[in-house]
Amino acid sequence: MALLEKEFLARLEQLELISRRIRRGAFRGERRSVRKGSSVEFADHRPYGAGDDLRFLDWNLYARLDRLMTKLFHDEEDLAVHLVLDRSASMDFGSPSKLLTAKRLLASIGYISLVGMNRVSFWSPGAEREVEVTNLRSARSAPRLFDAIERAAVGGAAGLDEPLRRWVGTRRPRGVLVLASDLLHEDGAWEHLRAVVRGGLEVHALRVLTPEEHEPDLEGDLRLMDAELGTGVDVTVTPKLLQRYRDARDDYDRRLEQFCRSRAITLLPTTTDTPFETLVLDVLRVKGLLR
Amino acid sequence: MTFLFPLGAAAAGALVPLIVLYLLKQKRAEYRVPTNFLWARALEDLRASSLFQRLRTQLLLLLQALAVILFALAAAGASLELDLGERPRRVILVVDRSRSMKAADEDGSTRFKVAQELARDAVSSLRGGDEIMLIAFDSTAEVVQSFTSDTDRLDAAIDGLSPRDLPSHAADAMLLVQPAGQASSAFDVEVVLLTDGALSDALPDVAYPVQYQRIGKSDANQGIGAAYVTRQPAEPAQLFVRVDNGGAEPATRRVVLSRGADVLDARDVQLDGGADRTVFFELPDPPGGDPVIFHVSLDGSDVLGADDHVDLVLRPQVARNGLLVANEPSIYLDVEKLTGLHPGLALTAVSMADAQAAFTTGTVPIDLVIFDGVAPSEVPPVPAQLYVNCIPPGSNIRETGRQEYPIIIDWDRMHPTTVRCLFDDVQVIDAMRLAGTERSRTLVDSTGGPLVLLTPVPGREVVMVAFSPAQSNLPLKLAWPLFLANTMDFLLAGVERAGEEAVVATGTPLVVADEGPFTVSAPDGRDVLVEPDAKGRAQFGDTWNAGVYEVTTATRTKAPYAVALLDPVEIRLAPRAELTLGEHPVQAATTSIARHMLLRDPLLLLALALLVLEWAVWCGRR
């Protein structure tokens, strides 16, 4: 099955990725840049200097102040959108799996970005090799993006922090970073996110969980095997233990939210049982990632 | 608390593997989760939250360990001592092994097995210095094991006992108790009577405390209380079977007569509680002159199967020998006419001297003797006896004088001797006036007292006519030959010579005279060779169990003998709540025979309950 159906792609074309800040792009695009350029949107004045284009002299201001001022306009450039997929073993749970849901979310956001003439990159760290495509522009590049996303199979690194740190150090990305992950890690997922916020990126974290991770459906004496680490924890599931689990989960979620809020990271939690179209067309819009 | 089997505490060693296994832990079902660190945190929180929660994880181990400890205590024979004195004890165990102890009304087990268990309990509770004697009784009593503290010997003696088809005469056993107790002055003597209380005789009192351990629960039993065969010349033998209902509830049973695998006849009998009914069968004469074994049984089942069947052996009818003893011949007692009245009877007229000689030598078996006007000084060894105008020796009857013209006022119209006889126009000129007739049954009564009687003498009942027929018009009446024929039939009906009995009582020795050694095939499959003693008599006494014993001699082919216990007392199985020893009632004991309260059962129950609880906790955690 293709990641996204044609009909759904057509509906995605009506949407646009929102960036909270105006950023400097690399190429001309349709998004306002911090650079001054040749768009029709007025930005500022500056004193006239020798060589300035006389067409931008503000004659009205000269008549009032008797000073030669040149009008500056905003430039329109593209936006760098970095899509990062966590494909560790813990993502291979749920029905549909967390990984599939994450892939479809990134594909949707990537497609919206490409349609908006933004520069899209996809990167997914792996235990053996990374999957990466960079500098995709325009909707015509969507198949390459989708292909790369589809190639990212389960088997990624257990911890995202080190690969992310390395990736940020070498790529020095700017723009928007959309990370799709379950953000479950013994040391706290915020340790992973710390690496990307330092890079000055606008980070959106799509947190995909299964309903069972919210409300476990377990009973009896079990050895719970960690899918990534292979370690086991012997439990006898009782109502009290379940309550303790909920308490531990709530505490983890609260700390994650607190971190994201303090670092201006948009945290978008969802579960795999949420209808996908609702998720993209409604939830992400309400959360301010799309419009 | 004491421990009867301290070595049993070794079972507590099971704690070691239990704890080791618990430490190793059983393999849990593995369940793959995205990550388990949240579970690990939840678990830590739970463990740290309370001491109880910490203990809770080991609750299963605690329960299992407690169960093992309880099992070990039970195996070690943990018990509470109850009221034991300082002096050593001598316990006399008196075990009933009569047939009623074969009743299987103790939850599938027989009463006798329960008695054995109780006896073993008593043995297992022996303290140092205590001794036990074992007495078993049925129709007789026997010291199976004299006083000893050797538990192995006692257990072997108890194991060697088995119930027998014999009645229970506990009085003999109690007579053995008395001297055994008297020889135990340095001990506290206690008598433990293990019986169901279905005893045939009264118990004498003993000078020692008696503990009556009542065994048995049910009285739902019916059985054959009597079976006898009567034979008339030239007629089929008649079999009467009495069925007794020993229980309080009404019952219906079917009495089946069979020969080999062939069912010959059957009768249904309905029995009220405690009642009995007699049914009648005709037995065909054995063809070819060989004895035939018949089997009578009750269809259905009850708690005691041993009394539901009986074997009978019917042998070819043989001619009976009789003597007519008179000082002078009479026309009213003519040998030829008397023989005509009872075909098959070889009657000989003899003098009293000849008769006495015949009685003494015993070379020719004599079945009937008629004394006419003259009586012997002692009761002759003849089964059927008729005394005419003379008084039977050994009876209480005596002649107080004579009476003239006594008028016959009544006669017993139902008795076999006088049935169909009319005495209303019989006139008697002279008759004896009798005294001491209280124990006799009057068959013909007159104004001067009984004229014809059925009177007991040692060993049997005889018929007496208190006048000379010559002194009456009786010989001219039809009543006279009818009376003579009836009397001879009646007296000879139950006569069986030694070895001719259809059934003999259990415990009766089988005697085969003058035939050298013989072999007995018992019902249990044993073949026993019996050698004659110094006097040339060989007898087999081990007929304690009912069934057919086959005797094979050197000169004869197999001769079957049917042995059975026909005793209504052993059919009435209701356990008695009280026994009377002399004049002292003894209530059934309510305490343990061992004088220890053995905690095995409660401990095992508690251990089981703990295991159930452990299982419930385990299920609750799933």
Side-chain angles (χ1 to χ4, degrees):
Chain A
M1 186 189 81
L3 280 175
L4 303 170
E5 291 80 16
K6 279 186 179 174
E7 296 76 13
F8 185 65
L9 289 176
R11 298 179 67 184
L12 291 180
E13 287 171 5
Q14 309 302 317
L15 298 175
E16 184 183 354
L17 183 69
I18 298 175
S19 174
R20 289 194 299 269
R21 286 177 280 180
I22 300 168
R23 298 181 180 284
R24 182 174 175 177
F27 303 97
R28 288 199 62 80
E30 296 178 351
R31 192 171 295 270
R32 197 176 69 174
S33 171
V34 291
R35 288 184 187 169
K36 305 299 180 284
S38 56
S39 74
V40 293
E41 191 174 354
F42 173 77
D44 202 354
H45 288 95
R46 69 172 169 84
Y48 173 77
D52 285 346
D53 192 339
L54 292 177
R55 288 178 295 177
F56 299 119
L57 276 176
D58 191 340
W59 296 110
N60 292 326
L61 202 62
Y62 178 71
R64 290 182 184 181
L65 302 176
D66 197 23
R67 290 176 61 184
L68 285 172
M69 302 294 283
T70 304
K71 286 189 284 186
L72 299 176
F73 296 89
H74 284 296
D75 200 359
E76 288 187 335
E77 291 181 343
D78 59 354
L79 175 67
V81 178
H82 304 279
L83 307 175
V84 176
L85 174 66
D86 174 9
R87 54 188 174 110
S88 61
S90 67
M91 294 293 285
D92 190 22
F93 283 84
S95 179
S97 71
K98 294 192 282 186
L99 183 66
L100 179 62
T101 304
K103 282 180 173 182
R104 298 183 76 190
L105 278 172
L106 290 184
S108 300
I109 294 169
Y111 184 74
I112 293 167
S113 303
L114 288 174
V115 170
M117 292 302 289
N118 294 308
R119 188 158 37 90
V120 176
S121 301
F122 171 76
W123 174 69
S124 179
E128 294 177 358
R129 69 187 181 90
E130 301 172 341
V131 177
E132 185 172 21
V133 286
T134 54
N135 294 327
L136 301 177
R137 286 176 60 90
S138 83
R140 282 178 301 180
S141 304
R144 284 184 61 201
L145 175 66
F146 294 164
D147 178 61
I149 292 176
E150 280 190 290
R151 276 192 286 119
V154 171
L160 268 178
D161 57 341
E162 187 54 37
L164 262 179
R165 209 180 304 278
R166 209 171 338 112
W167 180 74
V168 170
T170 54
R171 300 291 193 281
R172 298 199 174 277
R174 304 275 176 187
V176 174
L177 183 141
V178 181
L179 169 66
S181 170
D182 53 12
L183 295 178
L184 286 173
H185 196 273
E186 190 169 3
D187 301 328
W190 43 89
E191 294 300 328
H192 306 169
L193 298 175
R194 213 181 288 276
V196 287
V197 291
R198 281 178 189 158
L201 283 163
E202 180 181 341
V203 179
H204 301 278
L206 301 177
R207 190 179 187 207
V208 185
L209 295 174
T210 63
E212 291 76 20
E213 283 164 323
H214 269 282
E215 196 59 49
D217 182 23
L218 302 177
E219 62 177 20
D221 290 333
L222 298 170
R223 171 165 292 175
L224 302 177
M225 300 301 297
D226 191 300
E228 294 181 1
L229 305 176
T231 56
V233 172
D234 291 345
V235 295
T236 300
V237 183
T238 61
K240 279 207 166 182
L241 181 67
L242 284 174
Q243 186 55 47
R244 295 286 172 184
Y245 171 85
R246 288 187 206 105
D247 293 345
R249 182 204 62 203
D250 291 346
D251 179 61
Y252 182 89
D253 291 351
R254 186 178 45 75
R255 292 183 66 185
L256 181 63
E257 280 176 21
Q258 208 169 11
F259 176 84
C260 291
R261 207 177 305 121
S262 66
R263 299 296 194 282
I265 296 172
T266 311
L267 183 64
L268 300 165
T270 184
T271 53
T272 54
D273 60 341
T274 308
F276 184 68
E277 291 193 10
T278 307
L279 184 61
V280 174
L281 301 178
D282 296 337
V283 177
L284 296 186
R285 289 172 73 178
V286 169
K287 294 284 184 181
L289 185 63
L290 301 174
R291 68 178 171 201
Chain B
M1 182 180 288
T2 56
F3 295 95
L4 300 179
F5 324 110
L7 287 178
L15 278 174
V16 176
L18 173 71
I19 293 171
V20 169
L21 285 174
Y22 197 85
L23 291 175
L24 292 174
K25 288 190 179 179
Q26 81 245 35
K27 189 169 174 62
R28 291 163 179 265
E30 290 191 353
Y31 190 85
R32 197 163 166 269
V33 291
T35 179
N36 58 18
F37 72 90
L38 288 176
W39 286 103
R41 279 182 199 171
L43 216 52
E44 283 169 13
D45 289 349
L46 200 62
R47 281 175 184 154
S49 62
S50 72
L51 177 63
F52 175 74
Q53 290 298 339
R54 201 175 303 162
L55 288 175
R56 188 178 150 87
T57 58
Q58 296 177 9
L59 184 59
L60 296 181
L61 173 64
L62 286 175
L63 291 173
Q64 290 167 4
L66 267 177
V68 167
I69 290 168
L70 291 176
F71 276 126
L73 285 174
S79 60
L80 294 177
E81 286 190 24
L82 303 173
D83 187 27
L84 290 175
E86 293 294 320
R87 299 206 311 167
R89 289 190 307 152
R90 271 193 163 176
V91 179
I92 304 172
L93 290 177
V94 183
V95 181
D96 184 353
R97 58 172 169 182
S98 66
R99 191 178 63 186
S100 63
M101 298 295 281
K102 287 183 174 179
D105 60 344
E106 286 280 0
D107 302 326
S109 183
T110 65
R111 294 180 177 186
F112 188 76
K113 284 204 165 80
V114 174
Q116 282 181 306
E117 282 300 317
L118 288 171
R120 287 191 198 100
D121 286 349
V123 171
S124 66
S125 70
L126 276 182
R127 298 178 305 170
D130 289 355
E131 294 182 355
I132 285 182
M133 170 191 267
L134 182 64
I135 296 175
F137 72 91
D138 38 48
S139 59
T140 57
E142 176 191 1
V143 176
V144 181
Q145 175 62 55
S146 55
F147 281 119
T148 181
S149 56
D150 186 338
T151 55
D152 290 340
R153 288 174 65 185
L154 286 165
D155 283 338
I158 292 167
D159 292 343
L161 293 177
S162 59
R164 311 196 290 194
D165 288 325
L166 291 169
S168 52
H169 295 155
D172 292 350
M174 301 312 277
L175 291 176
L176 290 175
V177 163
Q178 197 66 31
Q182 285 168 354
S184 309
S185 55
F187 296 84
D188 286 336
V189 178
E190 184 179 352
V191 181
V192 177
L193 189 53
L194 302 170
T195 178
D196 53 8
L199 307 176
S200 301
D201 52 358
L203 299 176
D205 202 358
V206 292
Y208 309 103
V210 175
Q211 187 188 139
Y212 164 38
Q213 288 285 340
R214 182 178 59 171
I215 300 167
K217 292 178 178 170
S218 172
D219 67 350
N221 182 52
Q222 298 82 43
I224 298 173
Y228 56 94
V229 176
T230 64
R231 311 186 75 169
Q232 299 293 347
E235 288 181 15
Q238 297 175 330
L239 167 63
F240 295 88
V241 177
R242 196 181 88 181
V243 182
D244 288 76
N245 184 5
E249 296 296 320
T252 302
R253 301 295 294 268
R254 171 168 291 181
V255 188
V256 179
L257 173 67
S258 55
R259 183 174 59 201
D262 301 328
V263 174
L264 303 178
D265 204 349
R267 302 266 195 286
D268 284 335
V269 289
Q270 290 187 332
L271 299 155
D272 292 333
D276 61 79
R277 288 280 302 276
T278 301
V279 294
F280 158 78
F281 296 98
E282 280 194 348
L283 301 181
D285 255 351
D290 290 327
V292 175
I293 300 169
F294 292 94
H295 186 72
V296 181
S297 60
L298 301 183
D299 262 2
S301 63
D302 51 25
V303 295
L304 179 58
D307 59 7
D308 288 350
H309 55 85
V310 62
D311 294 301
L312 302 126
V313 178
L314 190 65
R315 294 179 172 78
Q317 205 165 15
V318 295
R320 301 296 178 189
N321 297 324
L323 296 177
L324 174 61
V325 184
N327 286 334
E328 55 188 26
S330 61
I331 57 169
Y332 52 86
L333 283 174
D334 180 66
V335 169
E336 192 176 338
K337 288 177 182 170
L338 286 171
T339 306
L341 290 174
H342 194 90
L345 174 67
L347 193 63
T348 309
V350 295
S351 66
M352 178 57 80
D354 292 341
Q356 293 285 10
F359 298 150
T360 307
T361 59
T363 51
V364 177
I366 298 170
D367 305 296
L368 171 71
V369 62
I370 301 172
F371 295 101
D372 181 13
V374 55
S377 56
E378 294 180 351
V379 181
V382 178
Q385 301 175 25
L386 170 62
Y387 293 81
V388 178
N389 197 27
C390 57
I391 295 176
S395 70
N396 290 339
I397 298 173
R398 62 187 184 280
E399 183 180 355
T400 57
R402 307 296 296 184
Q403 56 175 325
E404 293 184 344
Y405 299 105
I407 299 169
I408 294 174
I409 54 175
D410 196 13
W411 65 93
D412 192 333
R413 290 166 175 79
M414 301 302 292
H415 194 270
T417 57
T418 50
V419 69
R420 296 191 298 275
C421 297
L422 294 174
F423 293 95
D424 51 353
D425 57 349
V426 172
Q427 293 176 346
V428 179
I429 298 171
D430 181 59
M432 288 187 256
R433 187 178 294 278
L434 302 177
T437 58
E438 295 81 7
R439 293 174 57 202
S440 304
R441 176 172 177 172
T442 300
L443 300 175
V444 178
D445 202 7
S446 75
T447 51
L451 292 180
V452 180
L453 310 92
L454 184 67
T455 187
V457 297
R460 55 186 55 83
E461 283 189 320
V462 299
V463 176
M464 172 192 171
V465 178
F467 59 94
S468 168
Q471 295 294 312
S472 74
N473 64 350
L474 181 58
L476 305 177
K477 304 294 183 186
L478 187 59
W480 179 241
L482 276 176
F483 170 72
L484 289 175
N486 284 349
T487 303
M488 286 191 288
D489 288 350
F490 170 70
L491 291 173
L492 288 169
V495 170
E496 289 173 324
R497 293 178 190 166
E500 283 188 354
E501 300 92 343
V503 57
V504 295
T506 47
T508 305
L510 300 180
V511 181
V512 180
D514 304 326
E515 295 204 37
F518 62 88
T519 304
V520 177
S521 300
D524 57 9
R526 288 176 301 140
D527 285 334
V528 182
L529 177 65
V530 183
E531 298 283 355
D533 59 13
K535 294 179 181 175
R537 286 168 58 88
Q539 65 176 26
F540 175 73
D542 188 3
T543 56
W544 298 317
N545 290 306
V548 176
Y549 292 74
E550 286 195 321
V551 174
T552 309
T553 65
T555 56
R556 284 201 295 177
T557 53
K558 287 183 180 177
Y561 291 86
V563 175
L565 173 62
L566 299 167
D567 186 351
V569 173
E570 295 294 317
I571 295 172
R572 301 184 188 285
L573 298 178
R576 287 163 62 179
E578 179 185 291
L579 294 180
T580 304
L581 273 70
E583 294 178 351
H584 300 106
V586 176
Q587 301 290 333
T590 53
T591 57
S592 161
I593 189 173
R595 305 299 294 277
H596 283 77
M597 185 193 277
L598 197 60
L599 299 175
R600 182 186 57 195
D601 289 347
L603 286 172
L604 289 177
L605 277 175
L606 193 56
L608 193 63
L610 283 177
L611 288 180
V612 171
L613 179 64
E614 188 259 352
W615 176 77
V617 171
W618 182 77
C619 286
R621 290 184 180 182
R622 282 171 63 87

